[in-house]
Amino acid sequence: MGVTYKYFGAPNGATAARVPISMRPEELGGDELGMGGMFTKIKPETMAAMVLTGIEGIPLHKVPPLELVVLHPDYAVVKLPMTVVDPLRGIGEESVGAAAFIWSTVPDRGGPRDAFAVYQLLHEWQDFSHRLHEAGHQAYCLVWP
């Protein structure tokens, strides 16, 4: 089954910390978390590394760590740095395509990913980053097994 990640926007860490208390993870979906949250199997660390190395050209060892907001035996909430979310808003199709190709060649536990699937994922993230910006929210991720 594996771990599930739910990315969502919140105005601050206190609001983000209350999200898991108010809802059970299996009930999350749609817009309950605001900002049209996204379910994915992509780890927040992987997303941060992909954006910062693939789009911003930052060496992997300089990717900042995620900020832990809540650590509970049943779940965790982490905050993604705005340096991971903001770069997606300003890039065009060429940069999205190049980043997707680069990421598709990096082997992970499941082997290289299809470049088009990564391209679609990046577009979802780009839309998500626009929604966060428009609402003045920061990006958070709810993690549960």
Side-chain angles (χ1 to χ4, degrees), residues 37-79:
M38 301 184 326
F39 280 106
T40 182
K41 295 289 185 184
I42 307 291
K43 293 191 284 187
E45 311 79 70
T46 302
M47 197 63 211
M50 192 284 309
V51 169
L52 293 175
T53 59
I55 294 172
E56 292 291 288
I58 295 173
L60 195 55
H61 70 280
K62 294 209 181 234
V63 172
L66 303 175
E67 179 183 325
L68 183 63
V69 177
V70 174
L71 180 59
H72 184 275
D74 298 326
Y75 60 86
V77 174
V78 295
K79 177 183 173 189

Side-chain angles (χ1 to χ4, degrees), residues 1-129:
M1 182 150 228
V3 175
T4 303
Y5 305 96
K6 172 71 176 189
Y7 293 90
F8 65 98
N12 54 52
T15 302
R18 286 193 302 269
V19 166
I21 297 166
S22 63
M23 300 175 194
R24 298 176 49 133
E26 60 269 13
E27 296 169 350
L28 299 178
D31 287 334
E32 289 91 342
L33 293 179
M35 303 313 307
M38 301 184 326
F39 280 106
T40 182
K41 295 289 185 184
I42 307 291
K43 293 191 284 187
E45 311 79 70
T46 302
M47 197 63 211
M50 192 284 309
V51 169
L52 293 175
T53 59
I55 294 172
E56 292 291 288
I58 295 173
L60 195 55
H61 70 280
K62 294 209 181 234
V63 172
L66 303 175
E67 179 183 325
L68 183 63
V69 177
V70 174
L71 180 59
H72 184 275
D74 298 326
Y75 60 86
V77 174
V78 295
K79 177 183 173 189
L80 281 77
M82 290 310 286
T83 54
V84 172
V85 181
D86 286 346
L88 290 167
R89 287 198 330 273
I91 62 171
E93 286 298 309
E94 191 174 303
S95 295
V96 172
F101 174 75
I102 290 166
W103 199 20
S104 73
T105 63
V106 176
D108 58 19
R109 288 187 299 193
R113 296 177 58 98
D114 176 73
F116 186 69
V118 176
Y119 175 81
Q120 290 177 308
L121 172 71
L122 284 173
H123 268 292
E124 287 178 35
W125 269 89
Q126 199 170 35
D127 292 343
F128 183 59
S129 69

